Amino acid sequence: MQTLQSFFCGSFPPQEKAARYRLRLQCWAMKPFMAAAIVCLGTLALAQAPASQPASPKTTYLRCGSLYDGKSDAARKNITVRATGEKIDSISEAAPAAGADVIDLSREVCVPGLIDTHTHVLLQGDITAADYDVQLLKESTAYRTILATVSARRALGYGFTTIRDLETEGAGYADVDLRKAISAGVIPGPRMKVAGRAMDVTGAYPLLGYSWELKVPKGVQEVDGADGGRKAVREQISNGVDWIKVYVDRSYFVRPDGVLDDVPTFTPDELRAIVDEAHRERHNVAAHAAALNGVHNAVEAGVNSIEHGMYISDADLQTMVAKDIYYVPTLFVGEYVAQGRAAEGAHVWVDMIKIHEDTFRRALKAGVKIAFGTDVGGFDWKIDPAKEFAIMVKYGMTPAQALHAANMSAATLLGMQDQIGSIEPGKFADIVAVPSDPMQDIQQLEKVDFVMKGGTVYRGQGSAGMQ
Ligand SMILES: [Zn+2]
């Protein structure tokens, strides 16, 4: 059929309107030639016949023993969640009808898919500077991207159905391609928001310390001046990033009064230009801001999230509340890397753990919005980033607050509050399950044994094979 159609009427996909129009024109031109016209009309009839109907979306029922829906802190017992296609379409106490496609989670606790708002899929652990440098010097972007596909798969297996990946650390815009491959269903992974290359000023970000005669790769795009900042924002957005990431401080030291001080990178003028340009283009800004001056400059410039925030003054916490700036504390990575970095002589990392805890407690008390984020990639992806939850609880959050940080709070920071973050009709069917109640034992969230993302099961009963 394709051959005949090509010969007489051109080889256009029959379902396309434009092709049908061209078919009509060509057929009109051939009117005098009856034999040809008969064939052509036959072809045209086929072209205008309704295309074969796509298979109706699959309906799956999850029977959850308990369910936290992400809106209420109370568990609901014996709940049936119905997912059709990618979305949740009903939640009820009624048992599924006989013969329905049911996944039995009656001995499990269901919670909304977890969201990690600070990851690095292109990085595979960098406790020491050498760990970092070797990835940029000895591994090609292609090789690092292959490793990143494994990290993305691990993230989903841990129950993180959405991540905000906050820069590729020298791997260009490979995160944009990963996001594309995941959303096209080429590889399994969480839905992604990405930040591309990130920005810092000249001379402030690794690789550093090599001979001045060598040109070594950098973990960021080096950007200077207000105009340079605006240009970099435009360039990064044109290359497909969702978020702009800036590094606003470095060279940390603890003052005698216990304040964590720093050397700020961008000037206030540069930061304001970057934030203004990003916001003008409807994109948000995440600031790596660990200490006194960096945090202050970032909140004054109006960034959307403070990443790490090991020390934040009380005045800046108040500004964060007033300007609705989120705090993404990344507590676990600090504890994890401190020992390795202290062994290298950087004892400040050990002192910073105490300062970080104090800041977290003050932020909680001040009512700053806190979103779950881990900096995984800074530590090995073989470690479950859900370890962050236990530290958030150890530092003063209730288990419900900690879970909320990885559900609706994180979803809202990502601007996806209408799509993810809770188990509600109309939202993506992103649901994970754990063996026992995480409100009694927050470390249950390190034991995710069932993962559904967008109505597809990736782990546990009904899984298509990814374990
Ligand atoms: Zn990071």
Side-chain angles (χ1 to χ4, degrees):
M1 193 63 221
Q2 181 64 37
T3 310
L4 271 180
Q5 184 181 324
S6 302
F7 186 77
F8 287 109
C9 301
S11 58
F12 304 111
Q15 67 275 36
E16 285 184 16
K17 268 189 179 171
R20 287 208 296 263
Y21 182 61
R22 277 174 291 193
L23 273 169
R24 284 193 197 104
L25 282 179
Q26 289 181 4
C27 290
W28 178 80
M30 286 192 289
K31 257 187 175 172
F33 308 100
M34 284 306 292
I38 289 165
V39 175
C40 186
L41 283 170
T43 310
L44 183 59
L46 275 178
Q48 290 188 322
S52 59
Q53 294 295 318
S56 54
K58 189 178 171 215
T59 295
T60 306
Y61 294 81
L62 303 185
R63 187 66 176 158
C64 298
S66 297
L67 179 136
Y68 289 98
D69 64 8
K71 303 293 277 186
S72 157
D73 290 345
R76 296 165 67 184
K77 299 288 180 192
N78 301 318
I79 297 296
T80 301
V81 181
R82 191 174 80 176
T84 299
E86 292 189 303
K87 303 284 181 68
I88 297 164
D89 60 3
S90 74
I91 300 168
S92 76
E93 290 171 7
D101 181 6
V102 181
I103 294 173
D104 180 11
L105 301 170
S106 58
R107 286 193 284 185
E108 301 269 317
V109 181
C110 297
V111 299
L114 305 175
I115 303 165
D116 189 339
T117 67
H118 191 130
T119 67
H120 299 280
V121 288
L122 272 300
L123 201 58
Q124 313 304 326
D126 68 322
I127 293 174
T128 67
D131 294 338
Y132 185 86
D133 290 18
V134 78
Q135 294 181 62
L136 274 72
L137 289 170
K138 294 196 172 180
E139 295 176 358
S140 68
T141 300
Y143 185 72
R144 292 183 63 192
T145 309
I146 291 167
L147 297 183
T149 66
V150 180
S151 304
R153 188 188 184 100
R154 284 188 197 281
L156 190 56
Y158 293 135
F160 291 93
T161 47
T162 302
I163 60 174
R164 182 180 59 158
D165 201 69
L166 281 184
E167 89 123 324
T168 63
E169 310 283 0
Y173 296 94
D175 53 357
V176 171
D177 295 317
L178 277 162
R179 182 189 65 194
K180 183 178 175 182
I182 290 168
S183 63
V186 177
I187 56 168
R191 43 185 109 254
M192 289 179 76
K193 295 286 184 186
V194 303
R197 301 177 66 192
M199 301 177 193
D200 203 338
V201 298
T202 295
Y205 200 84
L207 304 185
L208 295 169
Y210 290 83
S211 160
W212 56 266
E213 291 166 299
L214 292 176
K215 185 158 175 50
V216 291
K218 294 289 179 182
V220 290
Q221 180 170 3
E222 291 187 326
V223 171
D224 299 289
D227 286 348
R230 287 189 188 275
K231 186 171 190 297
V233 169
R234 291 171 189 179
E235 184 182 308
Q236 294 197 0
I237 290 175
S238 75
N239 283 318
V241 304
D242 302 299
W243 277 74
I244 297 298
K245 161 108 180 261
V246 287
Y247 287 84
V248 301
D249 54 20
R250 66 187 179 98
S251 304
Y252 309 111
F253 60 99
V254 182
R255 294 192 327 209
D257 62 359
V259 167
L260 187 68
D261 211 333
D262 58 7
V263 175
T265 58
F266 292 103
T267 64
D269 188 39
E270 289 171 324
L271 267 184
R272 274 194 299 271
I274 290 169
V275 172
D276 178 66
E277 185 60 31
H279 287 175
R280 199 180 62 77
E281 298 197 52
R282 304 279 186 268
H283 283 61
N284 285 343
V285 181
H288 165 113
L292 181 67
N293 302 295
V295 170
H296 181 71
N297 291 345
V299 299
E300 286 300 314
V303 302
N304 302 90
S305 64
I306 293 292
E307 308 298 314
H308 315 302
M310 290 175 179
Y311 176 80
I312 307 175
S313 72
D314 286 336
D316 287 332
L317 288 174
Q318 291 307 324
T319 308
M320 289 173 73
V321 172
K323 291 188 173 181
D324 207 20
I325 298 171
Y326 278 72
Y327 178 31
V328 181
T330 70
L331 303 167
F332 171 74
V333 67
E335 290 206 359
Y336 183 74
V337 304
Q339 301 309 323
R341 291 187 178 165
E344 278 194 325
H347 296 289
V348 66
W349 287 90
V350 178
D351 299 332
M352 286 199 299
I353 292 171
K354 279 278 145 218
I355 295 170
H356 207 171
E357 175 179 351
D358 177 64
T359 302
F360 183 83
R361 289 181 184 278
R362 286 187 292 113
L364 200 53
K365 205 168 159 191
V368 174
K369 288 180 179 168
I370 297 176
F372 182 95
T374 66
D375 213 8
V376 58
F379 59 92
D380 197 314
W381 278 93
K382 293 192 186 80
I383 298 166
D384 187 343
K387 287 181 179 295
E388 180 83 12
F389 286 109
I391 301 179
M392 293 169 105
V393 171
K394 187 170 84 176
Y395 290 178
M397 270 187 163
T398 64
Q401 284 176 312
L403 183 60
H404 178 76
N407 287 160
M408 279 312 293
S409 182
T412 308
L413 169 60
L414 270 48
M416 300 178 76
Q417 63 275 15
D418 296 332
Q419 299 168 286
I420 59 172
S422 61
I423 300 175
E424 288 183 87
K427 287 196 168 182
F428 283 115
D430 291 359
I431 299 164
V432 302
V434 295
S436 185
D437 189 349
M439 297 304 130
Q440 302 300 318
D441 169 20
I442 194 69
Q443 288 188 284
Q444 287 297 312
L445 295 172
E446 298 168 35
K447 296 174 181 167
V448 166
D449 55 11
F450 172 84
V451 179
M452 171 182 269
K453 179 196 138 204
T456 299
V457 180
Y458 289 92
R459 183 168 185 179
Q461 187 190 337
S463 151
M466 193 204 84
Q467 294 292 333

PDB file of all heavy atoms in Angstrom, residues 118 120 245 308 375, ligand 1:
ATOM      1  N   HIS A 118      17.713  18.535  45.814  1.00  0.00           N
ATOM      2  CA  HIS A 118      19.129  18.885  45.606  1.00  0.00           C
ATOM      3  C   HIS A 118      19.936  17.617  45.327  1.00  0.00           C
ATOM      4  O   HIS A 118      20.358  16.924  46.259  1.00  0.00           O
ATOM      5  CB  HIS A 118      19.700  19.626  46.814  1.00  0.00           C
ATOM      6  CG  HIS A 118      21.046  20.242  46.557  1.00  0.00           C
ATOM      7  ND1 HIS A 118      21.352  21.545  46.853  1.00  0.00           N
ATOM      8  CD2 HIS A 118      22.178  19.724  45.993  1.00  0.00           C
ATOM      9  CE1 HIS A 118      22.599  21.804  46.515  1.00  0.00           C
ATOM     10  NE2 HIS A 118      23.133  20.707  45.989  1.00  0.00           N
ATOM     11  N   HIS A 120      22.838  15.552  42.392  1.00  0.00           N
ATOM     12  CA  HIS A 120      23.816  15.673  41.291  1.00  0.00           C
ATOM     13  C   HIS A 120      23.967  14.298  40.653  1.00  0.00           C
ATOM     14  O   HIS A 120      24.821  13.505  41.058  1.00  0.00           O
ATOM     15  CB  HIS A 120      25.174  16.139  41.817  1.00  0.00           C
ATOM     16  CG  HIS A 120      25.156  17.474  42.486  1.00  0.00           C
ATOM     17  ND1 HIS A 120      25.169  18.662  41.791  1.00  0.00           N
ATOM     18  CD2 HIS A 120      25.110  17.816  43.793  1.00  0.00           C
ATOM     19  CE1 HIS A 120      25.133  19.678  42.635  1.00  0.00           C
ATOM     20  NE2 HIS A 120      25.093  19.193  43.865  1.00  0.00           N
ATOM     21  N   LYS A 245      21.405  28.064  38.842  1.00  0.00           N
ATOM     22  CA  LYS A 245      22.092  27.812  40.120  1.00  0.00           C
ATOM     23  C   LYS A 245      23.311  28.713  40.194  1.00  0.00           C
ATOM     24  O   LYS A 245      24.104  28.782  39.249  1.00  0.00           O
ATOM     25  CB  LYS A 245      22.524  26.343  40.169  1.00  0.00           C
ATOM     26  CG  LYS A 245      23.622  26.026  41.195  1.00  0.00           C
ATOM     27  CD  LYS A 245      23.112  25.265  42.384  1.00  0.00           C
ATOM     28  CE  LYS A 245      24.174  24.943  43.412  1.00  0.00           C
ATOM     29  NZ  LYS A 245      24.699  23.598  43.329  1.00  0.00           N
ATOM     30  N   HIS A 308      22.056  24.463  51.408  1.00  0.00           N
ATOM     31  CA  HIS A 308      22.991  24.170  52.502  1.00  0.00           C
ATOM     32  C   HIS A 308      22.749  25.077  53.717  1.00  0.00           C
ATOM     33  O   HIS A 308      22.428  24.585  54.784  1.00  0.00           O
ATOM     34  CB  HIS A 308      24.456  24.227  52.066  1.00  0.00           C
ATOM     35  CG  HIS A 308      24.722  23.533  50.764  1.00  0.00           C
ATOM     36  ND1 HIS A 308      24.431  22.200  50.580  1.00  0.00           N
ATOM     37  CD2 HIS A 308      25.206  23.986  49.576  1.00  0.00           C
ATOM     38  CE1 HIS A 308      24.745  21.847  49.334  1.00  0.00           C
ATOM     39  NE2 HIS A 308      25.209  22.907  48.709  1.00  0.00           N
ATOM     40  N   ASP A 375      21.930  16.648  48.371  1.00  0.00           N
ATOM     41  CA  ASP A 375      23.255  16.790  47.747  1.00  0.00           C
ATOM     42  C   ASP A 375      23.838  15.425  47.346  1.00  0.00           C
ATOM     43  O   ASP A 375      25.050  15.301  47.164  1.00  0.00           O
ATOM     44  CB  ASP A 375      24.239  17.520  48.668  1.00  0.00           C
ATOM     45  CG  ASP A 375      25.233  18.376  47.886  1.00  0.00           C
ATOM     46  OD1 ASP A 375      25.074  18.533  46.664  1.00  0.00           O
ATOM     47  OD2 ASP A 375      26.186  18.879  48.514  1.00  0.00           O
TER      48      ASP A 375
HETATM   49 ZN    ZN B   1      25.176  20.374  45.573  1.00  0.00          ZN
END
